[in-house]
Amino acid sequence: MAYETLIIEHEEPVLIVRLNRPDALNALNNKLLEELSMIMEDADKNDSIRVIILTGSKKAFAAGADIKEMMAKGFVDMFHNNFFSNHLDRIQSTRKPIIAAVAGYALGGGCELAMRCDFILAADNAKFGQPEINLGVMAGFGGTQLLSKFVGKAKSMEMHLTGRHMDAEEAERAGLVSRIVPADDLIKEATATALKIAEKSMLSCLAIKESINRSFELGLTEGTLFERRLFNALFSTEDKKEGMSAFIEKRTPKFKDK
Ligand code: DAK
């Protein structure tokens, strides 16, 4: 299928989804989010895809929601017509692991989209920010919640209230990104990381993703109980037998997602 706003590369088992609105620094418009939500839904159903890499260009992951598209919208469009929201809900409920490979600007909705992925691998030229305050609004895709959880209240509050950008080094120090790599190596590094994940049992991957995401919703006791239940459940899988046997037999495990 041809997409208007995305470039798709599928080299099994990794799907690379590249945001592609170069004239608008990959600003997120309704079409892009609709296409992205469709591709995420398909990826969840497609067994030949084990890990998704979401990326943009060298200049911009995404410079936020499309201000030109939002310009004419009022409260009724946003609230009653639920502008964007169905697509965003679908994207954030993707079950397979998603790596955000971020080069250049990840601002506003772009920063939030990256934070909605499972982790962010940053190019050394990456810049993060929540500059919605400069437009007389505020973050709308979870930015106030997520950034505060990832980097703490003080930095989050400063970022949202001033709209300033954070460079890759500050983002790594603050815990927003897992690692910084040279911009030219971003996709190579993201793919190598994706391939490492793709070797594991998908059952473990899905359980780990669910469990870590629950840590943001639940207290320690309930979260640990949720983890324990999933941990126990994994003891019923063939992949658990294979993983432990392979360790004892000093060989590489061959997981079957069963
Ligand atoms: N929207 C539309 N066009 C954009 C854009 C954006 N966010 N960002 C950049 N562009 C366009 C510029 O207008 C320009 O187009 P032309 O003038 O050439 O036609 C082109 O991209 C190149 O941009 P610049 O000329 O500005 O490039 P510079 O290198 O000088 O500056 C910049 C790069 C990223 C610093 C600057 O473009 C910038 O400040 N952009 C705006 C960043 C921003 O304010 N982002 C936040 C947007 S608000 C929602 C959930 C979430 C949201 C909305 C709804 N719901 C659940 C309903 C999210 C809201 C936002 O993200």
Side-chain angles (χ1 to χ4, degrees):
M1 173 169 175
Y3 292 92
E4 202 179 290
T5 63
L6 305 175
I7 296 173
I8 306 298
E9 285 169 52
H10 181 190
E11 272 195 37
E12 284 185 27
V14 179
L15 183 77
I16 302 180
V17 180
R18 191 180 286 279
L19 308 180
N20 184 41
R21 297 190 67 220
D23 296 341
L25 301 182
N26 293 332
L28 310 170
N29 64 3
N30 195 51
K31 183 73 187 170
L32 185 150
L33 291 173
E34 182 187 16
E35 291 189 341
L36 192 55
S37 70
M38 279 161 51
I39 198 104
M40 292 298 175
E41 193 159 349
D42 290 348
D44 264 347
K45 289 184 201 144
N46 184 338
D47 287 341
S48 69
I49 296 168
R50 298 179 73 76
V51 183
I52 301 154
I53 296 173
L54 183 60
T55 194
S57 67
K58 210 164 169 182
K59 179 152 190 208
F61 176 75
D66 191 321
I67 300 165
K68 293 166 191 165
E69 188 178 58
M70 288 187 297
M71 176 65 200
K73 302 221 179 285
F75 173 76
V76 175
D77 303 294
M78 303 306 277
F79 182 65
H80 188 253
N81 301 338
N82 218 10
F83 180 66
F84 270 4
S85 298
N86 295 339
H87 305 321
L88 295 174
D89 291 348
R90 178 61 200 90
I91 292 164
Q92 82 192 51
S93 65
T94 307
R95 296 189 73 211
K96 288 190 178 158
I98 312 176
I99 302 172
V102 173
Y105 295 109
L107 303 178
C111 184
E112 293 167 304
L113 181 62
M115 290 192 289
R116 293 283 184 186
C117 296
D118 295 312
F119 59 93
I120 301 173
L121 199 61
D124 49 15
N125 72 339
K127 286 192 179 63
F128 300 89
Q130 297 288 165
E132 294 90 339
I133 193 158
N134 297 330
L135 304 170
V137 289
M138 64 181 286
F141 186 27
T144 58
Q145 309 302 300
L146 293 169
L147 195 64
S148 308
K149 290 199 161 85
F150 297 162
V151 306
K153 177 187 167 188
K155 207 176 270 290
S156 174
M157 198 64 95
E158 188 201 346
M159 299 289 298
H160 284 278
L161 289 177
T162 65
R164 81 167 174 89
H165 299 170
M166 191 195 279
D167 67 18
E169 288 198 0
E170 184 181 1
E172 189 189 31
R173 274 199 311 277
L176 178 60
V177 309
S178 69
R179 214 147 50 83
I180 303 176
V181 301
D184 287 337
D185 296 342
L186 180 64
I187 295 303
K188 195 177 81 191
E189 288 288 337
T191 303
T193 307
L195 288 172
K196 237 180 244 172
I197 297 168
E199 288 168 2
K200 318 293 184 203
S201 168
M202 184 57 77
L203 300 170
S204 298
C205 290
L206 296 179
I208 289 167
K209 178 165 170 165
E210 270 191 31
S211 193
I212 291 179
N213 284 335
R214 278 299 173 101
S215 76
F216 295 104
E217 315 283 346
L218 302 175
L220 182 60
T221 305
E222 287 156 325
T224 306
L225 183 61
F226 182 80
E227 178 191 273
R228 184 78 39 82
R229 293 292 171 251
L230 288 176
F231 177 80
N232 292 344
L234 290 174
F235 273 64
S236 67
T237 67
E238 289 179 29
D239 284 351
K240 174 262 174 189
K241 285 192 201 98
E242 170 63 8
M244 294 197 181
S245 305
F247 175 81
I248 290 163
E249 293 160 18
K250 300 190 186 301
R251 61 177 175 82
T252 308
K254 284 204 180 86
F255 293 118
K256 294 184 186 146
D257 306 334
K258 287 189 175 154

